[in-house]
Amino acid sequence: KALDALCGQPAATCSPQTLLTFLGGKSHSPFEIQFITVNATGPSKDIAKLNITGWDAPTYRCNETAPGYTQTCSCQDCPVPSLCPPTPPIPQSTPFLILNFDGVTFIILTSYVGLFFLSMFLFLVCASRNTAYVDVEVAGGGTERLPVRTALNEGSGTSTTTTSCCQTIEEVGARLELQLKIWFRRWGLVCSNHPFVVIFVSIAVVAAMSCGLMFFKVTTDPVLLWSSPSSKSRLQKDYFDQHFGPFYRPEQLIITAPGRKHTTEYLNTPNSQFTIGQDFGPVLSAPILEEIVKLQDAILDLRAPYSSKSSNGSVANETIGLEDICFKPLAPYNNECAIESVTQWFQNNASNIDLIYEFLIPGNLFPSQCDWHKHAYYCSRAPFDTNSHDSDGLNLSCLANYGGPAMPNVVLGGYSGDDYLNATALVLTFVVNNFLNEQDNKAAEAWESVFLDYVRNQYENPQNLSISINAQRSIEDEVNRESATDEVTIIISYGLMFAYVAVTLGRCSRCPRVLVDSKVLLGLGGVVLVLAAVAASLGFWAYLGVSATLIIIEVVPFLVLAVGVDNLCILVQSLQRDERLSGESHTEQLARIVGEVAPSMLLTGLSESIAFFLGALSDMPAVRTFSLYAGMAVFVNFILQITLFIALIALDVRRYADNRVDILCCVQLKKEDSGGNRNGLIYAFMENCLAPVLMTTPVRVIVIIVFSFAFFGSVTRIPHLDVGLDQTLALPDDSYLLDYFHDLNTYLRVGSPVYFVVKGDFDYSKPNNTDLICKTSGCSSVSLGAQISMAARQHNYTRIRQPASSWVDDYISWLQPSSGCCRQREPNLDTFCNASVTPSEANCTNCLTSGEFVSDRASPEHFRQFLNYFLSDVPSQDCAKAGKSAYNAGINRTTYANGTVKEIVATYFMTYHDICVTSNDYVSALRQARVVAANISATLGVDVYPYSYFYVFYEQYLDMAHQAALNLSLCAAAVFTVSFILLGFSFACAFITMLTVAMIVVDLMGIMYFWGISFNAISLVNLVMCVGISVEFCAHIVRKYSVSFKPSQLERATEALATTGSSVVSGITLTKFVGIVVLYFAKSQLFQIFYFRMYLCMVILGASHGLIFLPVLLSFAGPRCPTINAARSRLSETSPLLTSNKHPNTHTGNRSSYNN
């Protein structure tokens, strides 16, 4: 590329004559030089007459030291093995294979087969024990032939000589269960006898918590949503923002010309007979370039209304233009806005595009021409050049009118290799200042709104160009619009679920009693209870200043509805199926049912709340905030269930007992027997159809095989989940940003800027330290610049596109006496002379003499003394190395009063990433940049880190697996611990509950792989929520099994399925299906993928595992409970509470309170 610039054309076509002619031109020499070459046979006769002898000087290769010099060229300029350290080999990932199969899959499936045969062996052994008989002595003498298992059970039940540790634990568990029943029964009596007091207190507490909604805030800033304040990228971003200012606000257009074709132009060069054939892309034509100039001028003329507030509180209405908010790198010397555009090669002037330079090539009859094609060709290879006279004769600069270069890889897109001019897209970027204080960005946001509206809706587009657009505010605007777009869908979904809940609690036995049997008012009370729990949670955390997110608003009501309705159904249906005891009042019956059911509600509510609160330990803000809000909502929901809802049931029981009409409670009908089936159709199906078929031995074996195979198969897919989130999924289907991201991924050839930030105590002024930073001749082969350059040579792996710009190298060049850049005004030498100041205008002299600039290095004193001169010097034709535009903002420094730099606190060296398309690309770019920075840190001995604006969003994916494992493990531990305590200290019951929940979560992750659902913070939130919903599917059935007095595992599992399964179906499964189906019609892909698909899978997996796999597993491996049942029997002698459960014949035959 250096030879391209020196020759004015590609190095491959550069001849010695062309090189010398170009260098001797007026734009590169104080006066025009005509070089005369001598061929191999000697000088021509004409030259001989002039007595001119050719200069035959020795030449040296770039890796050779010329006489008078002590150093060769650097690896950067001369990439030969003798100068460059060996490029490290790219690590090759070797797949883990066993017998040519994926190793993980092979091990897991082999383990599954092994466990299958082991289980079959144990099953056969147990079956043989069931058919074996032994002779057992019986009371009164003699023996009785009994099965082995029966004999063992009877023996264990009658042995009282010893008390094992397990028996003690189970008796403690039975006592805890009894105390819970007694406490909840007493609490049920309080709520039943004083319903209005309980309702009033509950409403008052909820209202007090909900008042926090006055302080409720929703976080929509993506940085706050997806990056933890303590994460490495977030801390590094904050450091960068504080020392250099936040990254700019890029307002970008990507322009293509559909239907237009490539053209080929043959380019001539003045003073050269060489003709170049160059392909020009469809977007590079004079009419399009002129139209782009008009578009830029129109954007520059845009004005946005803006109301600013002064420090005294007064409001001033004004209009804001781009010039008020844009980045001006050379202000105040040049107040033009930084606009990256190909038209900057023509200084954004349409008349420059029309310029034509005619010249006559010797030997040709007709003149040749140079026009904008040749100038574009020249600037694409020498974007820093200030005069193209010798290349195209147009006397135009390639620098933009704001003073910086328009790099071809930045302003053009869709080209092949380094042939920039065959581009199929133009990229226009308006660089706007960004501020840490959001209030200072309001003016820019106002202008961006007008900018977006003009380009999208008002621009006439006479050239029929395709324009995709993005502004800094665009993503946030579109995400908010997406939420508003799907509000109707969400409202309909929740509305249908609420309506279902309102009608499902009732049970009509005969049509004449439908008005009395329905429980719409009670169901609406349950719905209000759910909404109150959500409002109380939102208000509570708003009091504490914890901002909410859109995920919370969309997901938490769904979660609370899922875990709450199930408990409501179990409570109401248990009361509907029960018969009052002899002499028992309605309130006493309700209290007794509360005592029986509330411990199960406590089990689910407590395990879910603790699981969610433990999930708040996550570093991911979205997961942490969701866990806090969900945990509090579930906890408040449980409290309201055992207070407010019991009081509502007590009032509904009175209404039902008086035969009053639902809703219109003042209307009383004639009393008559309700008759009919008290259990309902779902209960009858569970008891008479599902349970008998499911509990047959062949079906149970098949169930275990199928579900375990699905579990092991899902485990094999988890490592292959796609980690990340396609940002387009968060946008509405009709978003204009979809076109922008498509064009961004299709046409752009250079990615985001990346800054290697050096912080800490590093003295750049010492020559040895300078050598560890720079990348030119004399620099260390392992310097910062050299290592980044080496990484750029492997950009397909490192994702670093090009070598970094280095202020140290440019400063060294600027300081050189021969450059004429660093000059001071005599005689005091205390004033800086810009390179544009000629000696005739002022008495200026070089800052350093040749003797003071030894080995191309300045002394530490001179390095610090003139650094501020360098950073205030404006680049010009006379001194292109001046550092104001490129480096002034990139060096955070402290300065003495005389202008000498005291210390460089922090600085950065900027390069670019490769274009990143997928989440894996972004994560790989971040990971590899950190590897390079770590190596540089080891070399320099100070902290060096990379920074790019997207790092804060993608760092979470570096340890997503660890975060998920931590959160889900904590949730599983909470489920196991609470289940162990509240299920009578039964390890087996707690383990089976946790195992089934884990299987549901793992199977859901397996389905994510097959259904194309990526693994990210949103899906992790759903997985955490899945734990809570899964507990509802499993815990009630396990507890019913654990308290059952049936003699065998099979009978207890059958009873648990028949009695509790119907509530699970009506309370969770059907409720969720009603709402989930509506989500399918959401316009947002985010809803369709992460809510519809995952919620649907949650319900299907939860129902199948809870109603099919779990009862079967309990029938095989559930605890036999001989000791705990014996303990319950002994305790029941002193408590009628357990007696009523164990001996149903104590009922008098009275109908339930809901079946008078």
Side-chain angles (χ1 to χ4, degrees), residues 466-542:
S466 174
I467 303 177
S468 57
I469 184 173
N470 176 49
Q472 179 75 14
R473 64 175 296 165
S474 293
I475 292 182
E476 190 169 341
D477 286 349
E478 289 298 280
V479 169
N480 292 337
R481 187 173 72 86
E482 179 267 337
S483 300
T485 300
D486 287 321
E487 280 180 359
V488 176
T489 304
I490 297 173
I491 292 173
I492 294 175
S493 176
Y494 282 128
L496 289 177
M497 288 189 288
F498 290 153
Y500 172 81
V501 173
V503 301
T504 193
L505 296 180
R507 181 166 299 145
C508 179
S509 56
R510 294 189 302 162
C511 290
R513 292 189 54 82
V514 64
L515 298 179
V516 176
D517 289 343
S518 68
K519 290 176 175 46
V520 174
L521 195 59
L522 182 63
L524 289 175
V527 170
V528 172
L529 183 148
V530 170
L531 297 177
V534 174
S537 177
L538 296 178
F540 176 81
W541 292 115

Side-chain angles (χ1 to χ4, degrees), residues 516-589:
V516 176
D517 289 343
S518 68
K519 290 176 175 46
V520 174
L521 195 59
L522 182 63
L524 289 175
V527 170
V528 172
L529 183 148
V530 170
L531 297 177
V534 174
S537 177
L538 296 178
F540 176 81
W541 292 115
Y543 272 129
L544 300 182
V546 180
S547 298
T549 65
L550 293 176
I551 293 179
I552 291 172
I553 299 173
E554 295 161 353
V555 175
V556 169
F558 186 94
L559 170 66
V560 178
L561 195 63
V563 302
V565 172
D566 186 37
N567 290 339
L568 303 185
C569 289
I570 290 176
L571 186 58
V572 172
Q573 292 173 5
S574 297
L575 184 61
Q576 290 172 332
R577 297 170 188 151
D578 186 68
E579 294 183 358
R580 281 186 291 122
L581 302 177
S582 177
E584 188 178 45
S585 66
H586 292 306
T587 56
E588 290 172 341
Q589 182 193 18

Side-chain angles (χ1 to χ4, degrees), residues 878-1112:
D878 299 307
C879 184
K881 294 292 186 178
K884 179 175 177 58
S885 61
Y887 304 119
N888 185 46
I891 304 177
N892 186 287
R893 58 200 183 275
T894 58
T895 305
Y896 291 109
N898 63 358
T900 299
V901 171
K902 177 181 180 182
E903 179 188 11
I904 295 178
V905 179
T907 185
Y908 63 68
F909 300 85
M910 190 194 81
T911 180
Y912 287 90
H913 276 305
D914 264 341
I915 188 68
C916 297
V917 178
T918 66
S919 294
N920 287 333
D921 293 340
Y922 286 105
V923 174
S924 176
L926 168 59
R927 182 183 291 111
Q928 295 305 320
R930 285 186 173 177
V931 170
V932 174
N935 293 334
I936 297 174
S937 296
T939 301
L940 301 184
V942 295
D943 187 16
V944 179
Y945 72 85
Y947 168 72
S948 190
Y949 74 92
F950 66 82
Y951 285 178
V952 291
F953 305 118
Y954 288 92
E955 185 188 31
Q956 58 183 306
Y957 302 124
L958 292 176
D959 64 342
M960 177 64 71
H962 173 264
Q963 288 289 331
L966 175 64
N967 280 273
L968 297 177
S969 297
L970 290 174
C971 291
V975 171
F976 176 82
T977 303
V978 175
S979 300
F980 176 72
I981 296 173
L982 296 183
L983 289 176
F985 293 98
S986 171
F987 178 86
C989 287
F991 178 77
I992 288 174
T993 302
M994 184 191 69
L995 174 64
T996 307
V997 171
M999 290 181 67
I1000 295 173
V1001 175
V1002 170
D1003 287 355
L1004 178 58
M1005 296 178 75
I1007 292 178
M1008 286 171 58
Y1009 169 82
F1010 290 106
W1011 211 346
I1013 303 174
S1014 57
F1015 190 40
N1016 49 55
I1018 298 177
S1019 50
L1020 180 55
V1021 166
N1022 287 341
L1023 290 174
V1024 173
M1025 186 177 73
C1026 180
V1027 174
I1029 293 179
S1030 300
V1031 170
E1032 290 291 332
F1033 279 108
C1034 303
H1036 295 299
I1037 292 177
V1038 174
R1039 186 179 185 281
K1040 186 65 179 178
Y1041 174 93
S1042 69
V1043 300
S1044 173
F1045 281 88
K1046 297 291 184 180
S1048 68
Q1049 297 164 299
L1050 184 61
E1051 291 175 293
R1052 284 195 291 273
T1054 303
E1055 181 187 33
L1057 175 61
T1059 56
T1060 311
S1062 60
S1063 298
V1064 172
V1065 171
S1066 59
I1068 303 181
T1069 310
L1070 297 181
T1071 305
K1072 293 292 140 304
F1073 268 120
V1074 171
I1076 289 172
V1077 170
V1078 180
L1079 295 180
Y1080 175 78
F1081 300 98
K1083 293 184 178 180
S1084 169
Q1085 298 180 75
L1086 196 72
F1087 269 83
Q1088 294 176 2
I1089 294 175
F1090 293 103
Y1091 296 140
F1092 170 72
R1093 294 184 187 179
M1094 292 195 73
Y1095 287 3
L1096 181 65
C1097 294
M1098 280 184 210
V1099 174
I1100 294 176
L1101 291 173
S1104 59
H1105 282 77
L1107 301 175
I1108 299 176
F1109 173 76
L1110 180 59
V1112 170

